[in-house]
Each structure stands twice: as C-alpha cells, then as structure tokens.
Amino acid sequence: MAVLSNNEGCIVSRSFSRRLTEYRELSASLSEFCSRAAEKLRKQHSVTGCITVFIRTNPFNPQEPQYQPSASVKLDAATQDSRAIIATANRLLKEIYKAGYGYHKCGVQFSHIQPEASPGQLELFDFADNSLPTENRQLMKAIDQINRRFPKAISVAATGFDKTWKSRTERMSQSYTTSWNELVWVK
C-alpha cells in the first residue's frame, strides 16, 4: 500500500459540460469532488492537513471575462472525513466565488497528506465551536463499504441532485489499458 508523503498531494477536478454561473451549482460539484478525494484518502489510510479550492473560467475563450482564483487553508487537525472536508471547501468557495462569470472548471487539492495512524497535533478545543462535524471514521468506513457494494448508493447531501454540470461520458476516452471490459479483442 502506498501512502502519499507531505510532498505529494491529491487533486480532483473536472471541466463542466456547460458553464456554471450559480454558486449552488459550483458548491454541489465541488462537494462531489471533495467526496471523491476523501474516498481516495480513506482507501490509502491517509489524512489531509491542507485543502485548496480553485475555480476558473474558460481560458481558451478570450471573449468571456476571465477569473481564476484559489484559496487554501491549513487544517488544525488532519482529516479524512468527507463532511469536514466539504464544509471547509464550501467555506473557501464562498471566499472566492464572484457572480457574473461562467465557470468552466473547479476542483479541490489536498496536501500535507500523512498516514492516518500518525499522531497529529491535538488542540484543547478541537471542533468545539467551529461548526465542523467531529471526525467519525466508523461512519466514513460504513459509507465506503456500501458504495463499494452498490456504487454511488450513498452520497453527502451537499452534492445535490442536479448533475447536469457533469461531463458527458460519450466524450470520455476509452480505457483500453486500464479496464478489462474495454480491452480490444483480435479474432
């Protein structure tokens, strides 16, 4: 099992199938990306100590106004809990979001990744009054087990129900080298 060191990170980002202009759409897509990245952390038994959020307009369309901000926060206590990560990412998104732009892409990046078993810095008032849920590894483990058995059966409510922003799968490249189901057969 490979565990990422402090020098490595994890990024989940996608371009949208259409321009997103509303905060709630960006928030839902960012929440989905955070959930996916948190699942990756849990799969490799790691936690993140720093979260970066970015949004951007289409840099290849000079007729549109351009805006490409990002924001980061170093966490007091490293986590792998989807709920805490989503809450932090949405707080960062509120800081950088500006109305009037057609956003083309957003994403989340984790850094300061370490093994979950490593001792972290404990604060006397950890999660006391910062409106973040307390870490619940058993809950996250149960959700991951259910989603492995029934893919995408459970998701955090922040990811929303409207998924029209997702990229269309018919444009996705084939996975000839990574999927047994898509291997080319010669007769």
Side-chain angles (χ1 to χ4, degrees), residues 11-90:
I11 297 176
V12 177
S13 70
R14 298 284 182 275
S15 295
F16 305 125
S17 60
R18 60 180 174 82
R19 302 291 179 267
L20 302 186
T21 56
E22 295 182 30
Y23 172 82
R24 70 173 174 75
E25 291 178 313
L26 275 173
S27 175
S29 61
L30 181 63
S31 296
E32 177 134 339
F33 299 157
C34 288
S35 289
R36 192 171 305 141
E39 285 175 25
K40 290 180 181 183
L41 283 178
R42 291 191 296 273
K43 189 173 183 179
Q44 68 177 16
H45 306 287
S46 299
V47 291
T48 184
C50 183
I51 299 173
T52 301
V53 168
F54 60 90
I55 53 178
R56 75 174 205 196
T57 56
N58 188 352
F60 303 107
N61 189 348
Q63 287 76 30
E64 290 182 8
Q66 299 296 308
Y67 184 58
Q68 300 180 17
S70 67
S72 298
V73 65
K74 186 169 183 329
L75 303 173
D76 293 332
T79 187
Q80 60 177 213
D81 192 305
S82 296
R83 300 163 308 149
I85 291 170
I86 289 170
T88 302
N90 278 315

